[in-house]
Amino acid sequence: MGEKTIQDINARIADGSVHVVTAEEMPHIVAELGPEGAAREVDIVTTGTFGAMCSSGAWLNFGHSDPPIKMQKVWLNDVEAYSGLAAVDAYIGATQMSETRGMEYGGAHVIEDLVCGKSVDIHATAHGTDCYPRKVLDTTVTIDDINQAVMMNPRNAYQKYNVATNCSDRTLYTYMGTLLPNNGNATYSAAGVLSPIFNDPTYQTIGVGTRIFLCGAQGYITGEGTQHDPSNNFGTLMVQGDLKKMNKKYVRGATFHKYGVSLYVGIGIPIPILNADIAKATAVTDANITTNVLDYGVARRSRPVLRQVTYEELKSGMIDINGNEVTTSPMSSFHEARGIALELKESIRKGLFYPTLPVERLPNEGVSKPMKQIKEQPTVADVMASRVTTIKQGLTVEDAAKVIMEGNFNHLPVVSDEDKLVGIITAWDVAKAVAQNKRDKLDDIMTRTVITADITEPIETTARKLEQHNISALPVINNKNIVVGIITSDDISKLMTRR
Amino acid sequence: MKITLYATPEITAKPLIAEVILETKALLNIDRADVKPKGGEVVIDVPQDRYDEVTKAFEKRGARIIRLELPVIKDDDECVNCGACISVCPTGVISFKDDWSIEMDVSKCVQCGTCVTMCPHGALTLSE
Ligand code: SF4
Ligand code: SF4
């Protein structure tokens, strides 16, 4: 069939005959009419997503004060913004935290307050120059008082995201929300069928210059997002739009408990259906989109993949992980994503929004590299004491007391006949037992659930365990649960001061 | 329905709840108990038709009873219907409606507070 042009489509918007559907409606149409028929029938498919997009922020220009200042540092409601550029420009990043209120309020909340028309306190400092003599400035502004307020987000609209669950035995607080111990729940990012990039995975219409719905305003894609990873279906977009025209409904500051601040951003992208290929891509459903379930209990870059799931399974509310039924919940809002796709559809039908084609294509191949680290992180193996005294299970408290006294240390791991770790005794446990006249079996007084360090884990992880459990030493084990060393908070602080 | 029982240190020492169960023969279910030196606070699930009788039995023994109307409150202006709160609730209070907005069956709530910290938008609070 002949291809449609963007001009044909825009002419239909102008004369009111355009046929727009959402990405949720399109699969049925393609199933019924086939890609060719659907491409003839439908002009535009609208997508939408509404969720936490940490890589967000806004450029603000405050105008010049009198006497003028070249802001070196600037705070908005006690949240620091970046001002290492010309005099009165600043970039407020969404995840920056308030210096007085911590993670309860951050850059995202400042941006939300600006969009809501609330006044924001500005505090700036400078060194003072002949042309910019002023050293301190304090004022209060609303979004109407400042020149430009431009949302500019380096990485938004992730094509999809991993599912988070937690195989460890303690509760984790992450950017994927609270993850309950022992796979108590699983969280995911919800757009799925409405995900903009999944509806145009070869980037035929999504590219530099594509006009988009950005938080209620008309914005633009300015490039590939940072960490754009199209070959792994983890594409991202860099976007920009006028904060002054945004709807507060779609710009929402958020706090992830014990993790930090983020901004919920609403993005909708129209896909002009120029040909059957594009129509076919927009027929994607939740059942066709798969993602990985990762164990966030492992705090490393490569987290173990527990299984693959489809969005259809995730949205059913329950998935199977290692034979257990685990309740899922989204972190982003499918309800609002659908609302955005519908709102965009309406604006196009009313002739208020005209889609564009990209002026430059985005890469549809390539991967995001991990960080190059030249000073490698030391691991437990580098720091631990490998000469560790242990005691065999089945011996007595008296025996333990002797060993501790001779060795002059505080922690004594208890091992089985095969040298596997079964418990731990501290000098304090022994003293207490002796005082209570419990001198016989070690088994009665040892701690059985031992917090351990794995010999391969980075020292940062171990330091965090010591801090969290408020203890001063951990036995180090290998993958066979055999005690191979001991690491103390002293060892770690010595290392930190050396660096 | 749910009630909160407040007891002073003197009466927490007595087998208050056992006594009331024996007296009224009502099937009481303890959802949450928080007993501190300065007194106890227990959330109890009471069969609807036994509410008056059970309340009286507790009050007779010197405990204060407050009926939990809405154990957890959602601020609809803040809620974005993400559903993050769903998977952390131990009793399945929160679920999606067909249109992917959130609904809550608060009669099942045990006021554990997990959903309150999970909510990224500060939309949930526990009532006193
Ligand atoms: S987590 Fe908060 S914002 Fe999300 S659905 Fe629950 S109450 Fe609403
Ligand atoms: S307080 Fe606990 S029981 Fe009540 S709704 Fe929240 S998570 Fe569920």
Side-chain angles (χ1 to χ4, degrees), chain A residues 25-38 279-280 282-285:
Chain A
E25 298 166 311
M26 192 62 169
H28 310 289
I29 299 173
V30 176
E32 200 176 307
L33 306 177
E36 303 275 339
K280 200 170 159 195
T282 55
V284 68
T285 64

Side-chain angles (χ1 to χ4, degrees), chain A residues 252-471:
Chain A
R252 306 286 284 267
T255 298
F256 290 93
H257 186 61
K258 294 191 183 169
Y259 170 76
V261 180
S262 188
L263 184 68
Y264 274 58
V265 173
I267 294 181
I269 302 186
I271 317 269
I273 306 300
L274 305 173
N275 55 46
D277 275 353
I278 300 178
K280 200 170 159 195
T282 55
V284 68
T285 64
D286 285 333
N288 310 132
I289 306 178
T290 54
T291 187
N292 288 332
V293 180
L294 302 191
D295 176 12
Y296 274 59
V298 177
R300 300 298 298 268
R301 180 173 57 217
S302 301
R303 300 191 162 97
V305 176
L306 301 173
R307 61 165 292 198
Q308 286 206 318
V309 277
T310 66
Y311 267 77
E312 190 176 40
E313 292 173 273
L314 288 167
K315 285 186 180 170
S316 75
M318 200 78 94
I319 57 171
D320 184 289
I321 299 177
N322 299 334
N324 297 316
E325 297 269 272
V326 177
T327 311
T328 61
S329 64
M331 297 304 296
S332 61
S333 172
F334 192 74
H335 184 264
E336 302 301 305
R338 183 186 267 172
I340 288 167
L342 285 169
E343 191 172 325
L344 180 55
K345 169 173 156 178
E346 271 319 292
S347 339
I348 296 170
R349 288 209 333 214
K350 289 193 189 128
L352 302 171
F353 188 112
Y354 286 83
T356 61
L357 281 189
V359 291
E360 187 102 51
R361 299 280 297 271
L362 295 183
N364 60 14
E365 268 174 38
V367 295
S368 167
K369 293 197 287 271
M371 182 188 283
K372 175 182 174 192
Q373 286 159 288
I374 47 168
K375 258 196 196 162
E376 237 347 289
Q377 291 288 340
T379 63
V380 169
D382 299 329
V383 185
M384 70 179 193
S386 45
R387 286 227 319 250
V388 53
T389 311
T390 58
I391 188 163
K392 286 260 156 32
Q393 187 177 23
L395 292 180
T396 67
V397 176
E398 295 260 16
D399 298 328
K402 253 187 235 142
V403 176
I404 286 182
M405 259 159 51
E406 278 161 18
N408 188 26
F409 46 72
N410 278 319
H411 295 79
L412 186 59
V414 183
V415 296
S416 67
D417 286 339
E418 300 83 46
D419 273 338
K420 290 193 196 284
L421 181 69
V422 292
I424 193 161
I425 296 276
T426 64
W428 169 247
D429 293 332
V430 171
K432 208 166 67 180
V434 171
Q436 292 170 349
N437 238 330
K438 286 196 214 152
R439 286 158 196 259
D440 327 333
K441 288 202 1 241
L442 212 48
D443 275 45
D444 301 340
I445 66 157
M446 73 181 186
T447 305
R448 284 166 200 278
T449 35
V450 192
I451 320 279
T452 58
D454 187 279
I455 185 153
T456 60
E457 76 187 25
I459 218 66
E460 253 80 14
T461 311
T462 319
R464 210 171 145 71
K465 278 186 198 164
L466 288 166
E467 192 183 292
Q468 250 159 9
H469 298 282
N470 194 19
I471 45 184

Side-chain angles (χ1 to χ4, degrees), chain B residues 39-58:
Chain B
E41 198 183 306
V42 185
V43 177
I44 303 173
D45 199 9
V46 185
Q48 191 91 28
D49 53 336
R50 311 300 297 276
Y51 170 74
D52 284 337
E53 205 184 330
V54 169
T55 308
K56 283 205 192 90
F58 277 119

